[in-house]
Amino acid sequence: MSIYYDQAFYYSNGINLGSSEYYTHAVSSSKGAGYNCNVNDGPRGVSPGVIEGLDPRLGSDYRVNSMYLYCSNSSWFLISFSDNEDLTFSFWSEDPLARYKPENLPEREWVVNKFKIMFGMDESEIEAYLPAEDWAVNDIFFEQVTITGYPDIEAIHRHLLEKSTSSTFDAENSGGEGGSTETFYNGSEITGSISYFVPAAEISHSEGWSTYTIHIDRLGGVHLHVSLGPGSSGKTIPEEKYRAVFKRRFTDLGLPPEKVDKVEFEYGEGFW
């Protein structure tokens, strides 16, 4: 096992190819090109239903993984979704080394209002989920609370739009992994953010002892990886060689080969 994992490798930064159509074409072309294709379109989060303006950007089967609702720039309410549609929430502070203090908590009314928006609960139902007044502190966050139920993500998205003066969408920074974040601002203050995931794929093919892998997602993000094979710790191959291989792979998959010149590679000599 030590010999197997003792492999030198090259990996690139992430870039965006400029079109979501490249993902579909690459996946459909991979089998005919004789490449291995592993598609990750599983439930990384929950399906939010139809949210106006997002389907054209993300497709119809994107998922929501987490949401951050800010009560200030330095304190926020983290909501994490699991695959079984339960969610957890807890409060966090921007300083990872500082213990979260009770005075960092927002007003209880603020929390209740957010629950009303997400779940349509009345106040008695909400109080049943919230901790007692003496919130338990665990290092940098207040204890997580788990809620069984499907939140109205479209409602919280609409709420963030209404409470914000601007927003940003970082789909171009997905880097082949399928992740993107929409962030909302009221002036210079962050009001919230929502993390999305779309299908992504790993398309690989071996040449000699080396395995060349293209990570690509439906947002058009891509990054590249070369493994030099078992026992290759400290070994190298010429840059012009692995770039040429990736250009051929891109051509076979209907991707623009000139984009290979845009990525920057780092070298890892192995683990031992």
Side-chain angles (χ1 to χ4, degrees):
M1 288 181 65
S2 296
I3 293 174
Y4 179 82
Y5 285 107
D6 190 18
Q7 302 186 26
F9 56 92
Y10 293 91
Y11 62 96
S12 82
N13 62 318
I15 63 169
N16 194 276
L17 300 180
S19 172
S20 60
E21 294 180 2
Y22 285 124
Y23 170 80
T24 303
H25 192 75
V27 171
S28 62
S29 300
S30 60
K31 186 174 182 180
Y35 299 156
N36 296 316
C37 181
N38 180 26
V39 175
N40 181 6
D41 58 358
R44 301 171 67 182
V46 297
S47 174
V50 177
I51 298 179
E52 184 178 356
L54 289 186
D55 280 16
R57 284 176 164 175
L58 301 174
S60 60
D61 58 349
Y62 66 92
R63 300 278 175 155
V64 173
N65 176 263
S66 61
M67 298 191 295
Y68 294 77
L69 304 180
Y70 285 75
C71 44
S72 73
N73 269 349
S74 60
S75 183
W76 58 86
F77 175 17
L78 169 61
I79 309 148
S80 298
F81 301 99
S82 62
D83 294 347
N84 61 7
E85 297 179 1
D86 287 352
L87 66 81
T88 61
F89 84 86
S90 56
F91 288 95
W92 293 74
S93 170
E94 68 177 350
D95 186 350
L97 300 179
R99 189 173 177 83
Y100 204 129
K101 301 179 179 63
E103 55 264 33
N104 295 129
L105 285 169
E107 295 292 332
R108 203 171 184 88
E109 182 181 355
W110 184 91
V111 182
V112 170
N113 181 53
K114 296 300 184 285
F115 269 66
K116 286 180 178 178
I117 295 169
M118 285 190 294
F119 295 100
M121 294 178 179
D122 60 35
E123 292 197 19
S124 61
E125 292 175 303
I126 296 168
E127 290 294 336
Y129 278 108
L130 297 184
E133 293 298 330
D134 55 340
W135 298 65
V137 180
N138 181 4
D139 295 329
I140 61 170
F141 63 91
F142 278 78
E143 65 180 340
Q144 292 184 343
V145 175
T146 300
I147 301 173
T148 300
Y150 193 89
D152 189 341
I153 297 174
E154 192 276 334
I156 199 69
H157 184 271
R158 184 173 61 252
H159 170 73
L160 287 171
L161 284 175
E162 291 171 352
K163 295 294 183 181
S164 305
T165 57
S166 63
S167 64
T168 60
F169 202 90
D170 70 346
E172 291 188 356
N173 298 319
S174 61
E177 300 297 335
S180 62
T181 301
E182 188 174 16
T183 306
F184 304 85
Y185 301 88
N186 185 9
S188 60
E189 295 284 317
I190 300 177
T191 55
S193 65
I194 304 178
S195 297
Y196 307 105
F197 283 100
V198 301
E202 297 179 9
I203 301 173
S204 62
H205 188 263
S206 296
E207 185 164 307
W209 289 100
S210 299
T211 300
Y212 294 79
T213 302
I214 298 169
H215 300 259
I216 186 169
D217 62 45
R218 202 174 56 200
L219 297 171
V222 65
H223 77 270
L224 311 175
H225 185 275
V226 187
S227 173
L228 273 61
S232 61
S233 179
K235 294 182 180 179
T236 62
I237 55 177
E239 181 176 348
E240 59 269 20
K241 177 180 178 179
Y242 59 76
R243 284 191 184 274
V245 172
F246 277 123
K247 286 184 177 181
R248 293 198 300 272
R249 301 289 184 269
F250 270 46
T251 300
D252 291 343
L253 296 172
L255 306 178
E258 65 275 10
K259 292 290 187 178
V260 176
D261 294 324
K262 303 295 184 181
V263 303
E264 298 178 0
F265 285 91
E266 299 283 345
Y267 171 70
E269 63 180 10
F271 297 103
W272 311 110

